[in-house]
Amino acid sequence: MKTFARITKRMALPVLAIGSLLWITCSGTAERPNTLTSQEAEEGWTLLFDGHSTAGWHIFNQGKVPSAWRAVNGELWCDPQVTDAVHGDLVTDSTYTDFELVFDWKIAKGGNSGVFINVQEGPAYGTAYATGPEMQLLDNEYAEERHRSNPSHLAGSVYDVVGDAEQSKPVPFGQWNHSRIRQKDGKVTFWLNGQVTAEVQLGSEAWTGLVATGNLGNFPEFGKAKQGRIALQDHTDEVFFRNMKIKRL
């Protein structure tokens, strides 16, 4: 028995080491959340969320004001219970044209949020969604019926424009999803947990037709820009983000 125990103990350390290496490799992220691997840094990736502050972000059209967005335990959290600060969409200080964005997100039961791209700010625009196409973040299973029954409202869709119910497979509420957004020369592709959930060409005849059939067609500047800010939606539902990384193309 002693001999077996010694052999088992000696084997355990290499197995654990290999397991840790596989976790890092398969996850595609650094071992610690909100950090870059050396390869990511060499490829030009930068962090949008540093893990401990909202540096690099501000509230849409309101600048650097105290907000419902907090950095807690390495997660960027929109707290719906906040009453002593401003609620609103959180937008990047920087603007982006061609880029690739990756991030992890989780949401409350029945929750609804989103990530916008190409957002324009200014007095002429009352909301982020008036200009920026949105990747829908949703708890599909417990969402309102109006969302569950509309493919363009499911997680990973271009909200209210186009979606794919077969590919929209978020994990249960309270667990981490992984999303990716790529924009190059106006071609936008969304991924959710490794699956392509939407692909559009901004400015194309097909895009214009899709927008016109939904409510977003009421906003004359929606989806017209091919550059702008990234925005996180405050939809009064609890939502969390981490590992937000972006690379200019």
Side-chain angles (χ1 to χ4, degrees), residues 15-228:
V15 170
L16 287 173
I18 292 170
S20 298
L21 180 59
L22 286 174
W23 184 89
I24 296 169
T25 302
C26 293
S27 68
T29 61
E31 186 173 5
R32 290 184 297 111
N34 310 309
T35 59
L36 297 174
T37 65
S38 57
Q39 180 176 345
E40 287 172 329
E42 289 175 5
E43 292 175 351
W45 290 91
T46 59
L47 290 174
L48 277 183
F49 172 52
D50 60 19
H52 55 80
S53 75
T54 56
W57 298 81
H58 62 273
I59 294 296
F60 177 81
N61 270 353
Q62 298 191 59
K64 304 285 187 179
V65 296
S67 78
W69 292 89
R70 312 286 173 83
V72 180
N73 298 323
E75 300 169 3
L76 184 56
W77 171 38
C78 185
D79 182 0
Q81 304 303 319
V82 166
T83 59
D84 60 349
V86 175
H87 280 271
D89 296 340
L90 193 68
V91 301
T92 55
D93 295 343
S94 299
T95 59
Y96 301 90
T97 305
D98 294 339
F99 63 89
E100 190 161 344
L101 168 68
V102 296
F103 57 95
D104 298 333
W105 61 275
K106 63 181 179 180
I107 202 161
K109 185 176 181 179
N112 183 343
S113 187
V115 174
F116 301 92
I117 62 173
N118 303 335
V119 171
Q120 309 297 302
E121 276 190 296
Y125 312 112
T127 65
Y129 64 75
T131 58
E134 173 190 357
M135 174 184 269
Q136 170 78 318
L137 309 183
L138 190 77
D139 172 25
N140 285 0
E141 184 176 2
Y142 293 100
E144 298 174 54
E145 174 59 28
R146 66 188 180 92
H147 295 311
R148 294 200 309 271
S149 61
N150 187 337
S152 72
H153 286 202
L154 296 176
S157 66
V158 182
Y159 180 75
D160 210 39
V161 179
V162 64
D164 186 341
E166 292 298 318
Q167 299 302 323
S168 177
K169 297 177 180 178
V171 299
F173 68 89
Q175 299 182 36
W176 289 108
N177 292 274
H178 181 72
S179 287
R180 176 182 169 201
I181 298 174
R182 188 179 195 274
Q183 176 170 274
K184 177 66 174 175
D185 299 328
K187 182 180 180 180
V188 177
T189 309
F190 288 174
W191 287 261
L192 173 60
N193 297 325
Q195 300 295 319
V196 173
T197 50
E199 193 163 57
V200 295
Q201 179 68 49
L202 301 180
S204 67
E205 184 177 342
W207 168 259
T208 302
L210 287 167
V211 171
T213 62
N215 291 328
L216 293 169
N218 295 319
F219 298 93
E221 296 304 313
F222 174 78
K224 297 290 179 63
K226 296 180 182 179
Q227 64 79 37

